[in-house]
């Protein structure tokens, strides 16, 4: 492949990764909104179902991100193996995320994931804790 083709394909995978992450983040913030606005309507079964669907969706997204990362790294490796590179290709290789940057991205991803689930269950628990009638001691 030519330098242009590799850069184009790499760019497409980066765009796909970004779009998937944006959609997942939207779903996560939607779950937080559901937890806040609909807490009094959530019963235990609905909360379990929503949690299971969110976990399954997150695992699916993680797999897509993993595959895109592998493919993207393959494109970077192929680009690095070319004898002469233009300035744009050199910048792409030079600005690839470091392990520290990837750690920050992964930490943010899992933080939002756990925060969304914890907020869902706390909202459910608080709404149903408030509904219990107070008992009068004898």
């Amino acid at each position: 492949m030519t330098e242009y083709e590799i850069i184009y394909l790499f760019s497409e995978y980066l765009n796909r990764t970004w779009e998937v992450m944006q959609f997942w983040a939207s779903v996560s913030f939607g779950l937080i909104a559901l937890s806040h606005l609909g807490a009094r309507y959530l019963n235990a079964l609905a909360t379990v179902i929503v949690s299971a669907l969110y976990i399954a969706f997150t695992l699916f997204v993680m797999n897509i991100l993993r595959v895109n990362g592998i493919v993207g790294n393959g494109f970077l490796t192929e680009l690095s193996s070319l004898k002469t590179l233009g300035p744009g290709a050199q910048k792409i290789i030079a600005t690839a995320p470091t392990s520290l940057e990837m750690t920050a991205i992964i930490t943010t991803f899992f933080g939002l994931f756990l925060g969304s689930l914890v907020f869902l269950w706390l909202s459910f628990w608080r709404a149903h804790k408030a509904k219990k009638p107070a008992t009068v001691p004898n």
Side-chain angles (χ1 to χ4, degrees):
M1 278 194 276
T2 66
E3 178 183 329
Y4 171 79
E5 292 169 326
I6 295 169
I7 291 173
Y8 178 78
L9 290 172
F10 181 69
S11 173
E12 286 300 309
Y13 271 84
L14 284 178
N15 287 337
R16 182 181 303 161
T17 299
W18 179 244
E19 288 172 5
V20 166
M21 288 185 78
Q22 283 180 318
F23 183 69
W24 177 83
S26 298
V27 169
S28 298
F29 286 112
L31 180 64
I32 291 170
L34 166 82
S35 303
H36 179 69
L37 299 174
R40 64 181 167 190
Y41 301 109
L42 287 174
N43 59 31
L45 179 62
T47 305
V48 168
I49 289 171
V50 168
S51 296
L53 288 172
Y54 180 65
I55 291 168
F57 178 64
T58 299
L59 291 173
F60 174 71
V61 167
M62 285 173 51
N63 188 51
I64 290 172
L65 296 176
R66 180 186 64 80
V67 169
N68 282 354
I70 291 169
V71 172
N73 285 337
F75 287 138
L76 281 177
T77 301
E78 191 170 347
L79 193 60
S80 298
S81 70
L82 294 177
K83 295 183 193 253
T84 58
L85 293 175
Q90 291 172 2
K91 288 291 184 187
I92 287 173
I93 293 169
T95 59
T98 63
S99 58
L100 181 61
E101 292 168 334
M102 288 305 297
T103 301
I105 291 168
I106 292 168
T107 301
T108 303
F109 183 88
F110 282 112
L112 181 55
F113 168 72
L114 290 175
S116 298
L117 280 178
V118 167
F119 191 78
L120 171 66
W121 282 96
L122 281 176
S123 296
F124 167 76
W125 180 71
R126 285 180 182 156
H128 293 284
K129 179 182 171 190
K131 286 184 181 181
K132 290 184 181 178
T135 57
V136 178
N138 292 335

